[in-house]
Structure formats: C-alpha cells, structure tokens
Amino acid sequence: MFARRIVVVGTGYVGLTTGACLASLGHRVVCSDVDAAKVEQLTRGEVRILEPGLAELVQEGIAAGRLEFVVGSAGAVDEAEVVFLCVPTPMGSGGAADLAAVESVTREVRERLPHGCVLVTKSTVPVGTSARVAELVGRPDVPVVSNPEFLREGSAVHDFLNPDRIVVGSDSQDAAERVAALYARLGAPTVLTDAASAEMVKYAANCFLATKLSYVNAIAELCERLGANISDVTEGMGYDRRIGQSFLQPGPGWGGSCLPKDTAALMQVAEAADFDFGLLRATIDSNARQREQMVAKVADACGVGVESSLRGVRLGLLGLTFKAGTDDLRDSPAMAVARLLAAEGAELVAYDPGLRGDEPEPTEIMTLVDDPYLAAKGSAGLVLLTEWQEFRALDWSRLAGLLEGPVVIDTRNHLDPDVLRRAGLSWRGVGRRPVGV
C-alpha cells in the first residue's frame, strides 16, 4: 500500500476519527479546522470527544509524525493527494441537510487543490451533492468522490478499523479506486459505484435502521397490551438470519446525530422527487409517539395516571446522553423525554456519567448532580433513560431507601427486574410485565 498525503477538513466527530485512523494506517494526515483553540488542544494530543481509543490514536499519530493539526484549510491542501470534507451538514429548513459548510470549504480550496488531487465528501450529504461539489470546483483535473462514513458513536475507532464495508462512488473509476486503496489494509468488502448511489447508501442504511427500531418499539407496546415479553420476542426474531439481532432493543425512541437528521433529509429528497415515502413518514411519527408513551408510562408508574398532571412531582433521571459511552446530547431521546416531563411540570434531578455538569440545555430544565444517589433522594420515581453499564451495579437497596416512591421506570430494559424486586422496588420496563411491589 502506498502512503498518501491526506488533508481532512474538519475535526469534529467524523473528521477527527477519520484523520487519526488514516494516520494509523500509515498515511500522512493533516487535519484542519477553523477553531484555533481546538487546533491548539489537538496539537497537544488533547481530545475532548468521549470516544474509546481516539485520544490514544491521536497521540500516537502525532508522536509518529504522521498526524498534524492546522488552522484553516486553504493552505493545508497545497500538497494534498486526497482531501476529505468532514464538515457539519446539520438539519436545515424543512429537514433538508444544510450544505453551507460543504460549499464554503469547496470554494475556499478549489483554486489551491493540486492537479489530480481527489476531493472526497465524507460528511453525510444528499444525493447529488458530489455533482454539486464538482460544479463548484469547476476543474476537470480534480475528481470528486463520495465516501460515506458508517461510524457509531462509542465505537467509532473500532468501526473505522473493522468496517462491514467500504463504499466509494465517483464518475471517475480511477479516482474511486485511489480512495478505496486508502483502506486496503483493512481487508473489507468494497463497493465501487457512482457518486449518487454511494450517497444514497448512507441514507438508505440509516433510515432502514430507524424503521427497524420504530417497528420494535411498536411491537413492544403490543406485547404490553397482550401480555407477551418483548425480550423473548426479539430473541426469537433475532435468530432469523434475514432479520439479525442488532437494532431490536426497544427504548424511548431513536436519536443521536445521524438518524433524526438523515430520516428528515431523505423525506425532503423523496418529496423533491415527487415520491410519497409513507413508510418513512410513519417511522418518524412513531418515534415521536414513543417518547410520549414513555411520559405516560412514568405518570402511570408514579401513581398520577395518564390524565393527571406531573406538576410538582420530583423525578430522578439516570442518563441523558443519546447512548451510553458518549457525551453527545444531540437529538437524544433521553433529553426528548426529559423535556416532555418538564413540560408536564415535573421537577427533574438527573445524573449522567458522561456529562461534566455545565452543559447548557440540561441545566435549563433540570438539576444535574454528580451522584446517582442524589438523583434518587426524595424522588417519586427513578427513570432510566440511557443504558450506562454502571447503572446495573448501583446499590439498589440503598436507592430504595432514598426514593420517596419505590418505583423504577426502565425505558431501556437495562436492569435486572429481580435485583430491584429483592431491593423492595417495583420495576416497569418496555414491552414486559411489571415486576415487584
């Protein structure tokens, strides 16, 4: 494998992981960002993103001389063979992806790109973006390639270095093969296609996963009404190789930085193509309803009933991040449920091991504490919203003594109901019968 001179524009979650991992594969990587303070921190090997293994890779890359960080992208690309665009594409007006950052960086670097340099869109972008970027570049000697990322927060480094597949799309076969060769050491199946198809793969995959989760949440509600056990149902489903065992865990709804944004963006794409994507619309609507169902479950478990108000009811919350192992609150279903509870007048006290305690959004609607037992003290119920492993090991007898109401609403089916029952607590899960007093 030939080592390449690579520039990664953007040091957010995707950009930093991409840069550090490519450097670990032997390439020389320069990561650029507009935030000078962030660049200074990264140059010292300080990583503020909570992601297992990422800080170590950054530090190793710097020490080996294969990874460096600079301010600004224009000068960084002067000697690049491949440039990755890893800038934000947030949800814009009406749910469409906002491509302002992609277009701005493209305009900034287009005159500085060396002859034959490959420009790669790594950020999740709508179908047709590569064609738009090629038009903005306006240089036949600079091919544009789509190479979508498939990284899960909390396991991004592992996912990058152990991918299920590499997807590369371009109208230039040579450019696509050059980008695919960057990953040769990983030995993953590689899909070489056109740019539009590569862009569509990311949306199709994420929206399928969202649909799968919404389906399981609906089945869980049906299980509750019929007296079935969702855990046994999904186990039986998961052994079917056509279905698989992943994304079969019910919960308070799906969220995070990708699924909400990508489902909304694909809906926009479908509407622009005059296609009525009713299935995807139902997936999104079902997810919103799931969060409301969790609030109703809390009200019922705390004895106020679905028709009564939670005003003045103190609730302890365990977990706020969108998934365990991260510090990411973006489109967190836990936060969505917390906001609905606050809107009902509940007084919220929350603990999350991934948060520092100074995050602005949570502190506006709740009290953040640095101890799970403080969240429980005097509460009418304890609501588990994020599946942090350490919550399984809590002293539930001690928690039972601190709670005003002896009930735990486990929106992730994360805890052992028998452990809680022995501690004198009632356990309420999703898609399963209540356990305990």
Side-chain angles (χ1 to χ4, degrees):
M1 182 196 77
F2 292 104
R4 298 294 186 184
R5 297 189 302 275
I6 298 170
V7 171
V8 176
V9 181
T11 60
Y13 199 90
V14 172
L16 187 57
T17 302
T18 297
C21 288
L22 286 173
S24 76
L25 295 178
H27 303 293
R28 186 184 182 282
V29 182
V30 176
C31 293
S32 72
D33 201 284
V34 295
D35 187 335
K38 186 177 184 182
V39 167
E40 185 177 342
Q41 290 171 353
L42 291 170
T43 299
R44 295 195 299 266
E46 299 174 8
V47 176
R48 300 299 175 91
I49 298 172
L50 183 59
E51 180 59 47
L54 183 56
E56 291 81 359
L57 272 191
V58 168
Q59 293 159 9
E60 290 169 9
I62 293 171
R66 293 193 301 268
L67 181 63
E68 63 177 298
F69 300 90
V70 300
V71 178
S73 54
V77 304
D78 283 348
E79 297 181 355
E81 296 176 76
V82 182
V83 174
F84 283 88
L85 300 182
C86 299
V87 295
T89 54
M91 191 186 304
S93 177
D98 184 349
L99 298 178
V102 171
E103 295 181 354
S104 176
V105 171
T106 300
R107 291 188 181 96
E108 184 180 351
V109 303
R110 60 187 174 189
E111 300 300 329
R112 305 287 293 267
L113 295 170
H115 174 79
C117 177
V118 180
L119 186 60
V120 183
T121 57
K122 192 73 170 172
S123 307
T124 302
V125 294
V127 177
T129 300
S130 291
R132 170 61 177 156
V133 169
E135 180 183 333
L136 285 175
V137 173
R139 290 178 53 183
D141 64 315
V142 176
V144 176
V145 169
S146 173
N147 175 218
E149 53 84 14
F150 301 97
L151 306 178
R152 298 168 298 167
E153 291 192 42
S155 59
V157 170
H158 177 273
D159 291 347
F160 191 103
L161 298 177
N162 302 273
D164 293 328
R165 76 290 202 194
I166 305 293
V167 177
V168 183
S170 178
D171 296 333
S172 167
Q173 182 75 9
D174 175 70
E177 290 176 355
R178 286 167 60 191
V179 172
L182 299 176
Y183 305 95
R185 284 182 55 186
L186 302 179
T190 301
V191 178
L192 294 179
T193 183
D194 59 272
S197 297
E199 291 163 344
M200 189 64 176
V201 167
K202 179 61 183 291
Y203 283 107
N206 275 357
C207 291
F208 178 82
L209 295 177
T211 300
K212 192 174 182 182
L213 288 169
S214 286
Y215 177 80
V216 168
N217 282 333
I219 292 294
E221 184 177 344
L222 191 57
C223 284
E224 289 186 16
R225 298 190 183 197
L226 299 177
N229 185 324
I230 186 62
S231 298
D232 293 341
V233 171
T234 54
E235 181 182 8
M237 293 170 59
Y239 285 119
D240 188 326
R241 287 173 293 182
R242 298 168 301 174
I243 297 173
Q245 297 185 4
S246 63
F247 283 75
L248 288 181
Q249 180 66 36
W254 40 265
S257 62
C258 293
L259 296 190
K261 178 170 69 74
D262 292 352
T263 51
L266 190 57
M267 280 299 300
Q268 285 284 311
V269 169
E271 290 172 6
D274 196 26
F275 174 66
D276 183 9
F277 207 154
L279 176 60
L280 185 56
R281 184 181 301 107
T283 292
I284 296 169
D285 292 343
S286 176
N287 194 52
R289 182 177 180 276
Q290 184 69 7
R291 297 167 181 188
E292 295 169 354
Q293 285 294 105
M294 295 302 102
V295 174
K297 185 180 291 290
V298 171
D300 181 62
C302 293
V304 300
V306 295
E307 301 299 329
S308 302
S309 172
L310 282 165
R311 185 163 301 282
V313 176
R314 180 185 173 101
L315 295 172
L317 306 183
L318 294 180
L320 294 173
T321 54
F322 94 93
K323 66 182 289 188
T326 80
D327 56 358
D328 197 345
L329 293 170
R330 288 177 294 176
D331 277 305
S332 166
M335 280 299 301
V337 172
R339 283 191 291 269
L340 290 172
L341 291 170
E344 291 291 323
E347 297 176 4
L348 307 177
V349 182
Y351 167 76
D352 190 298
L355 300 183
R356 298 181 301 275
D358 59 354
E359 290 78 8
E361 185 183 15
T363 54
E364 290 177 359
I365 62 171
M366 68 187 73
T367 300
L368 284 180
V369 294
D370 59 3
D371 187 320
Y373 300 97
L374 292 177
K377 187 176 182 179
S379 294
L382 197 58
V383 186
L384 186 147
L385 293 169
T386 308
E387 70 286 14
W388 287 92
Q389 191 65 28
E390 67 181 67
F391 293 158
R392 293 178 182 267
L394 293 174
D395 184 339
W396 288 100
S397 294
R398 178 185 173 190
L399 286 165
L402 293 170
L403 284 165
E404 187 72 24
V407 62
V408 175
I409 302 93
D410 183 357
T411 71
R412 301 278 187 169
N413 290 351
H414 182 60
L415 305 172
D416 186 335
D418 289 333
V419 169
L420 271 65
R421 177 182 55 80
R422 290 194 295 269
L425 292 166
S426 172
W427 177 89
R428 304 288 185 93
V430 180
R432 294 173 61 179
R433 295 174 179 173
V435 174
V437 296

